[in-house]
């Protein structure tokens, strides 16, 4: 079922013009019409959608068709960013609301129905008179996840995909560290509220004044409550039932997660893909994994990673590249002239143009020192261990980093003043040090009791003594581990240049709250227990058994 075409209004045209100019999309080529659409699914559910069709001179055909699936509404901001801006440049766009959201039938069950529904959307498109024979997919975050769900069985007529900050594996995000990712509570709070309260996706996720993420002080208190699951049940009541399924399935290999994990898609796609991420995005690890996997398979994949958080990595700063990519791979009337990997190097504050990520590197080893330093010399065999105590009732706070809405590059000097954190800091560097890839930290570590987590962060201390975060990782430790053996912890990929005069800092803590649910220090469930025990962490320093391994660029790299 399709409604009548409606031409865009003067007000919409003005907003499209200003938005496209701000994002560097190049001049508009035409106006367009929009049509309301209902798309039937295999179970007779109907999905609501808008079809945008460019108004072209006689004899001209659209540049191609873009398919978008979205759970955040079909309001002005998000349709401009994902559909209208492309329609004004000659592309058709089909913008579909996810099952159970904004007029689409059925019940919203996050990440559960996208695989089948996306295939049904494609089957319906093929039957329409306006279908050009091929299409591309586009969209960030959940919209990117929906693409990976479709690519579990890639349609042969899908010729390209643009996926900014889009995870392919929800289990990895929710429980991949061994601790529950608490941003699922704030996201679920937004998604389970009445649609008129949610507003557009972009307005709810930006950090500009008046555009804060929909989160209440009551939810903040609920997240602090113990037992966590009971506290969240009291807050949500009958809303967001899926979050309690998440809490009930902490093992990522449980059958519950199978339909929400699409690693197999990385083995099956064979068309050009543009991946976009940010060093401070919550899904950066998955974006980098996607790129490396596809590149190693020989897929035509391009990567852009900027100094961005989740929202700013969603394509806001990459529209010129997206337009070039679609011109080459969908419209077939242009060329993607960018390098295989465009990487922003923090510290240097420059873009690098690379043939792949990471580039060729060599390894540099530095050792944790007895005086809380970092140096090239191994400490003596009699060096005294370092220790701290993590108290789950007074957890170490999350400060910036890869959080969904309050992350980014921040001043994290506070960590150096806390008794529940160890910080190791080098002397000011004499020469620059350029890291390209994933640093590793080797620790000879024990905890009492053995139920404990580790939060590791690499930061830079500037010449004024202010520390800023670079990259990090989080891991719940196996309580049955052999603590005499070296523990290897791989941080998230980064691209950073330590300049002369700056210092390397390593932050080690037993938690990062409220990014992750606290380890309570007992053998009971961290989400169902209220019993807690402080955890004493001890790190051996003697003879260089605890160290940092940096991947260092082996030669000069081209800048953009």
């Amino acid at each position: 079922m399709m409604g009548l075409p409606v031409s865009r209004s003067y007000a919409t045209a003005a907003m499209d013009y200003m938005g496209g100019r701000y994002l560097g999309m190049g001049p508009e080529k035409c106006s367009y019409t929009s049509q309301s659409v209902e798309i039937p699914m295999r179970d007779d559910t109907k999905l609501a959608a808008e079809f945008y069709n460019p108004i072209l001179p006689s004899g001209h055909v659209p540049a191609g068709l873009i398919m978008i699936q979205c759970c955040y509404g079909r309001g002005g901001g998000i349709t401009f960013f994902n559909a209208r801006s492309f329609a004004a440049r000659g592309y058709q766009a089909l913008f579909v609301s996810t099952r159970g959201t904004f007029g689409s039938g059925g019940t919203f069950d996050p990440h559960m129905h996208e695989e089948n529904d996306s295939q049904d959307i494609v089957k319906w498109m093929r039957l329409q008179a306006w279908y050009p024979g091929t299409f591309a997919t586009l969209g960030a975050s959940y919209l990117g996840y929906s693409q990976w769900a479709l690519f579990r069985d890639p349609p042969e007529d899908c010729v390209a995909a643009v996926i900014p900050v889009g995870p392919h594996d929800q289990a990895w995000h929710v429980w991949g560290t061994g601790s529950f990712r608490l941003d699922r509570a704030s996201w679920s709070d937004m998604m389970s509220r009445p649609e008129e309260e949610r507003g557009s996706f972009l307005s709810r996720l930006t950090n500009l004044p008046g555009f804060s993420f929909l989160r209440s002080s009551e939810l903040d208190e609920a997240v602090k409550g113990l037992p966590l699951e009971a506290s969240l049940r009291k807050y949500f009541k009958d809303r967001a039932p899926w979050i309690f399924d998440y809490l009930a399935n902490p093992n990522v290999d449980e059958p519950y997660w199978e339909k929400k994990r699409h690693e197999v898609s990385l083995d099956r796609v064979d068309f050009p893909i543009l991946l976009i991420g940010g060093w401070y995005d919550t899904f950066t690890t998955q974006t980098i994994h996607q790129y490396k996997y596809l590149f190693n398979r020989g897929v035509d994949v391009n990567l852009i990673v900027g100094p961005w958080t989740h929202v700013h990595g969603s394509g806001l700063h990459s529209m010129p590249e997206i337009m070039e990519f679609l011109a080459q791979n969908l419209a077939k009337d242009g060329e993607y002239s960018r390098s295989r990997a465009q990487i922003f190097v923090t510290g240097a504050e420059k873009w690098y143009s690379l043939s792949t990520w990471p580039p060729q590197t060599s390894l540099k080893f530095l050792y944790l020192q007895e005086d809380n330093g970092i140096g090239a010399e191994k400490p003596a065999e009699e060096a005294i261990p370092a220790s701290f105590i993590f108290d789950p009732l007074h957890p170490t706070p999350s400060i910036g980093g890869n959080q969904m809405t309050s992350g980014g590059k921040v001043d994290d000097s506070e960590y150096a003043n806390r008794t529940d954190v160890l910080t190791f800091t080098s002397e000011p560097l004499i020469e620059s040090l350029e890291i390209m890839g994933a640093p590793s930290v080797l620790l000879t570590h024990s905890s009492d009791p053995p139920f404990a987590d580790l939060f590791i962060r690499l930061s830079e201390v500037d010449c004024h003594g202010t520390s800023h975060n670079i990259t990090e990782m989080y891991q719940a430790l196996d309580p049955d581990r052999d603590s005499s053996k070296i523990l290897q912890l791989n941080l998230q990929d980064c691209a950073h240049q330590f300049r002369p005069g700056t210092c390397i800092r390593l932050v080690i803590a037993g938690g990062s709250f409220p990014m992750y649910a606290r380890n309570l220090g007992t053998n009971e469930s961290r989400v169902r227990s209220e019993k807690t025990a402080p955890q004493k962490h001890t790190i051996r320093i003697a003879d260089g058994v605890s160290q940092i391994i940096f991947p260092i660029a082996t030669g000069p790299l081209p800048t953009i």
Side-chain angles (χ1 to χ4, degrees), residues 345 350-355 359-361 432 434 436 497 552-559:
V345 180
K350 294 180 180 179
W351 284 95
Y352 281 32
S353 176
L354 306 177
S355 59
Q360 186 173 357
T361 58
S432 64
E434 196 162 68
M436 291 283 181
Q497 183 184 95
I552 305 299
T554 56
L557 299 173
T559 58

Side-chain angles (χ1 to χ4, degrees), residues 165-245:
V165 296
H168 62 280
D169 187 331
Q170 287 301 317
W172 185 351
H173 180 67
V174 178
W175 278 107
T177 64
S179 180
F180 182 69
R181 183 87 182 214
L182 284 167
D183 62 18
R184 296 304 83 194
S186 52
W187 183 82
S188 297
D189 188 33
M190 178 186 72
M191 292 305 300
S192 61
R193 288 179 179 269
E195 289 174 350
E196 61 270 17
E197 291 184 25
R198 299 184 208 169
S200 74
F201 172 58
L202 293 179
S203 70
R204 293 300 182 185
L205 284 184
T206 53
N207 289 321
L208 298 174
F211 295 102
S212 61
F213 190 57
L214 198 160
R215 178 167 180 162
S216 66
S217 58
E218 291 84 1
L219 177 59
D220 291 336
E221 291 303 312
V223 166
K224 296 176 185 177
L226 295 175
L228 175 62
E229 182 178 19
S231 184
L232 290 177
R233 284 192 182 278
K234 183 178 179 180
Y235 174 80
F236 280 102
K237 297 182 174 62
D238 60 348
R239 294 190 295 123
W242 58 82
I243 194 172
F244 302 105
D245 292 334

Side-chain angles (χ1 to χ4, degrees), residues 107-163:
T107 300
F108 180 60
D109 188 357
H111 315 107
M112 185 61 73
H113 297 287
E114 282 71 20
E115 180 184 349
N116 288 341
D117 286 356
S118 61
Q119 293 289 342
D120 290 350
I121 294 167
V122 172
K123 290 178 182 178
W124 178 86
M125 287 195 313
R126 291 169 177 157
L127 299 176
Q128 307 312 305
W130 44 259
Y131 183 64
T134 60
F135 69 99
T137 59
L138 179 143
S141 194
Y142 198 107
L143 290 67
Y145 169 83
S146 298
Q147 295 179 68
W148 288 119
L150 171 65
F151 301 154
R152 199 178 182 99
D153 183 12
E156 60 183 16
D157 41 351
C158 183
V159 296
V162 178
I163 309 178

